């Protein structure tokens, strides 16, 4: 009896708070995520990874599951993502926030900039993201990242612009220029996802 009463009281309090403070809680960040989330997709596939067996001085290969994020940019089903998300991946699978899953084909890629364009194999019209303009970003401006961090689909993290025009060297022959640095949490699985301003662009 007491457990039921506590549960009812908690639900009642939540309802009262939601009614009284609903407008205050609908922040620009919340609105940006609500507007953009339907355009952010999960990308999965399998790729072959080669391992060198030092004991026998031989190469072995194994299948691993790859995962990342993408953004719908065209109602015909075109999705942009990072190239390393789909590099060497067989049977690219794209899952929408409404849990519909489609096969996708790699349409274009640029390894130097780590950019890829894939297309969902479907006839549906899809929601698309509003592309922003990074030229007017400001230091300490509030930004939002959406992605499949650690396999948890559509995870949201919030931070600020820490610096602009960063150069990062990731290997002897791979350098990224003019990057945006943020303190919003970016974890494995976020690759290919959007970084939004509070207008959702």
């Amino acid at each position: 009896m007491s457990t039921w009463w506590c549960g009812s009281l908690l639900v009642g309090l939540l309802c009262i708070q939601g009614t009284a403070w609903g407008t205050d809680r609908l922040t620009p960040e919340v609105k940006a995520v609500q507007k953009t989330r339907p355009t952010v997709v999960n990308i999965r596939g399998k790729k072959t990874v080669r391992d060198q067996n030092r004991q026998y001085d031989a190469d072995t290969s194994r299948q691993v599951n790859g995962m990342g994020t993408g953004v719908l940019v065209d109602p015909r089903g075109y999705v942009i993502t990072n190239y390393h998300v789909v590099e060497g991946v067989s049977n690219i699978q794209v899952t929408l926030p409404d849990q519909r899953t489609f096969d996708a084909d790699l349409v274009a890629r640029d390894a130097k900039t780590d950019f890829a364009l894939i297309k969902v194999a479907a006839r549906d019209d899809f929601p698309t993201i509003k592309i922003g303009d990074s030229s007017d970003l400001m230091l300490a401006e509030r930004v939002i990242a959406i992605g499949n961090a650690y396999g948890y689909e559509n995870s949201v993290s919030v931070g600020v612009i820490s610096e602009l025009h960063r150069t990062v060297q990731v290997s002897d022959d791979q350098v990224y220029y003019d990057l945006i640095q943020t303190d919003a949490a970016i974890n494995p699985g976020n690759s290919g996802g959007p970084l939004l301003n509070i207008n959702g662009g």
Side-chain angles (χ1 to χ4, degrees):
M1 183 66 177
S2 59
T3 302
W4 178 86
W5 172 254
C6 290
S8 298
L9 179 61
L10 178 61
V11 171
L13 288 173
L14 288 174
C15 290
I16 292 170
Q17 290 178 359
T19 302
W21 302 325
T23 54
D24 293 337
R25 294 170 59 200
L26 198 60
T27 64
E29 291 86 353
V30 171
K31 292 178 182 178
V33 171
Q34 289 177 345
K35 179 169 68 173
T36 308
R37 191 171 178 269
T39 71
V40 181
V41 303
N42 175 276
I43 300 174
R44 294 179 184 271
K46 292 183 180 294
K47 66 169 63 179
T48 301
V49 176
R50 293 190 175 278
D51 296 318
Q52 184 174 10
N53 190 323
R54 294 182 179 180
Q55 181 179 356
Y56 298 102
D57 194 25
D59 286 337
T60 59
S61 61
R62 57 190 172 90
Q63 288 280 316
V64 297
N65 293 317
M67 184 190 58
T69 307
V71 183
L72 283 156
V73 295
D74 187 284
R76 295 171 294 178
Y78 287 95
V79 175
I80 58 174
T81 187
N82 287 128
Y83 176 53
H84 73 262
V85 171
V86 294
E87 181 182 8
V89 171
S90 61
N91 190 26
I92 302 171
Q93 296 280 317
V94 169
T95 302
L96 275 60
D98 62 11
Q99 298 305 309
R100 288 184 295 163
T101 298
F102 302 93
D103 292 330
D105 296 314
L106 179 61
V107 176
R109 65 185 184 276
D110 182 13
K112 185 176 181 180
T113 58
D114 196 21
F115 174 85
L117 180 68
I118 63 177
K119 186 178 187 305
V120 171
R123 297 180 179 179
D124 299 340
D125 282 342
F126 296 97
T128 57
I129 197 168
K130 175 186 175 184
I131 302 295
D133 184 355
S134 62
S135 65
D136 63 357
L137 287 174
M138 300 172 287
L139 292 183
E141 181 177 356
R142 200 80 163 159
V143 289
I144 307 141
I146 306 178
N148 303 299
Y150 295 116
Y152 294 99
E153 297 181 11
N154 293 291
S155 297
V156 175
S157 58
V158 178
V160 298
I161 297 294
S162 303
E163 187 52 274
L164 299 167
H165 312 297
R166 288 293 196 197
T167 297
V168 176
Q169 183 158 359
V170 295
S171 67
D172 291 339
D173 55 354
Q174 184 70 66
V175 181
Y176 297 129
Y177 299 96
D178 207 26
L179 296 183
I180 301 166
Q181 180 184 348
T182 179
D183 67 349
I186 307 294
N187 295 299
N190 273 104
S191 293
L195 184 68
L196 312 171
N197 60 30
I198 59 171
N199 295 323

